[in-house]
Amino acid sequence: MQWIDSAADRAGLELPPRLLPFTDQPLALFVDIDGTLVDFVRRPQDVRLDPDLLGLLSRLQHLLDGAVAVLSGRELSDVDRLLSPLKLPAGALHGLQTRDALGRVRSLLPPPAWATRIARECEEVAGSLPGVWLERKAKVSFALHYRDAPSQGAAVLGAAARIAASSAGRYRLQAGNCVAELKPAGADKGDALQSLLAMPPFRGRAPLVLGDDLTDEPAFSMAEQLGGVGVIVGQRRPTAARHALTSPKHTGRWLAALATRLEQGHTRQ
Ligand SMILES: [Mg+2]
């Protein structure tokens, strides 16, 4: 594992040359939000993005000819609220909702009756375990959070696994950072990456994926398959990512260094 944040520090925030062995191919940037661009907070709805960070994403979008997308577990409307006024292509709800560069939205939603049933079962879990609370995402995906009660982790994961097992393959358990999410089967962040990369302005570019969570692993693997790389943020291991950054603070600094490097490249052309 190469700790590119320390290399970047030593080089005065120069982009470590080893990170981009494929610079002869233009890049496409795919970035997660929570735990990658910003630190976790107790409740996801309290997260705010720094205006400087939004400005940086906008700058990168310009420098990469529009090839910047968000891959998030949040729903699309929530992604847009956080990134406002930016409205980026996205794989939201871990890939269940995608929006391409033309603004076309595609959703893979389960039958409503199943969503209702899973919601009810998750409510029962949250109601029976103190400190655990339920987040509903677009009425189809249900996240049981136990950040306030880490000792409930095993109980939450066990209950969530039972709910998934009884859903006849319609729902699956996605374990994350202090969260167990019941999400409809059928798409992950890797699928979202693949579908976005098949279309302009991403097509023909090497995907660079920044993420922190288990939910980012399919995107790291897909990036490798498609000629790119993954960069994990934080200490979680093992991972399919080839590079690492220590924290969201380092992500911001590294992205700024990337933007500077891309600007220099533009200047030379
Ligand atoms: Mg994350």
Side-chain angles (χ1 to χ4, degrees), residues 126-146:
S128 66
L129 297 172
V132 176
W133 64 279
L134 177 63
E135 179 189 10
R136 300 156 186 273
K137 298 182 177 183
K139 297 180 184 168
V140 296
S141 205
F142 306 97
L144 289 159
H145 291 266
Y146 55 92

Side-chain angles (χ1 to χ4, degrees), residues 18-41:
R18 282 175 299 171
L19 176 64
L20 301 174
F22 46 84
T23 43
D24 54 330
Q25 195 179 1
L27 291 177
L29 178 64
F30 294 85
V31 61
D32 169 53
I33 298 176
D34 298 270
T36 299
L37 286 180
V38 289
D39 284 312
F40 287 104
V41 298

Side-chain angles (χ1 to χ4, degrees), residues 159-176:
R162 284 191 292 278
I163 293 172
S166 67
S167 72
R170 289 183 172 83
Y171 269 77
R172 63 188 175 89
L173 168 60
Q174 177 79 69

Side-chain angles (χ1 to χ4, degrees), residues 5 89 125:
D5 63 310
V125 173

Side-chain angles (χ1 to χ4, degrees), residues 96-264:
L96 279 175
Q97 291 176 313
T98 55
R99 179 175 61 211
D100 65 19
L102 297 176
R104 295 176 299 197
V105 175
R106 182 186 62 123
S107 292
L108 296 169
L109 301 176
W114 272 97
T116 303
R117 171 179 161 171
I118 300 295
R120 191 175 60 241
E121 293 179 8
C122 287
E123 275 169 13
E124 287 170 13
V125 173
S128 66
L129 297 172
V132 176
W133 64 279
L134 177 63
E135 179 189 10
R136 300 156 186 273
K137 298 182 177 183
K139 297 180 184 168
V140 296
S141 205
F142 306 97
L144 289 159
H145 291 266
Y146 55 92
R147 186 171 302 280
D148 294 344
S151 63
Q152 303 281 23
V156 170
L157 289 166
R162 284 191 292 278
I163 293 172
S166 67
S167 72
R170 289 183 172 83
Y171 269 77
R172 63 188 175 89
L173 168 60
Q174 177 79 69
N177 190 321
C178 291
V179 61
E181 181 164 351
L182 274 301
K183 57 166 287 184
D188 59 29
K189 287 190 180 185
D191 298 321
L193 167 66
Q194 187 175 33
S195 70
L196 286 170
L197 205 66
M199 291 177 288
F202 300 93
R203 192 162 57 204
R205 290 173 173 263
L208 175 63
V209 177
L210 274 70
D212 67 298
D213 212 339
L214 281 173
T215 60
D216 296 299
E217 291 295 328
F220 293 151
S221 300
M222 186 61 75
E224 286 279 342
Q225 282 180 43
L226 300 173
V229 292
V231 180
I232 188 170
V233 179
Q235 310 303 318
R236 185 184 55 76
R237 303 289 184 276
T239 178
R242 248 198 278 171
H243 305 281
L245 290 161
T246 303
S247 72
K249 181 183 73 176
H250 294 83
T251 306
R253 292 165 60 188
W254 188 79
L255 286 176
L258 175 63
T260 300
R261 175 61 60 97
L262 289 167
E263 269 161 3
Q264 289 166 350

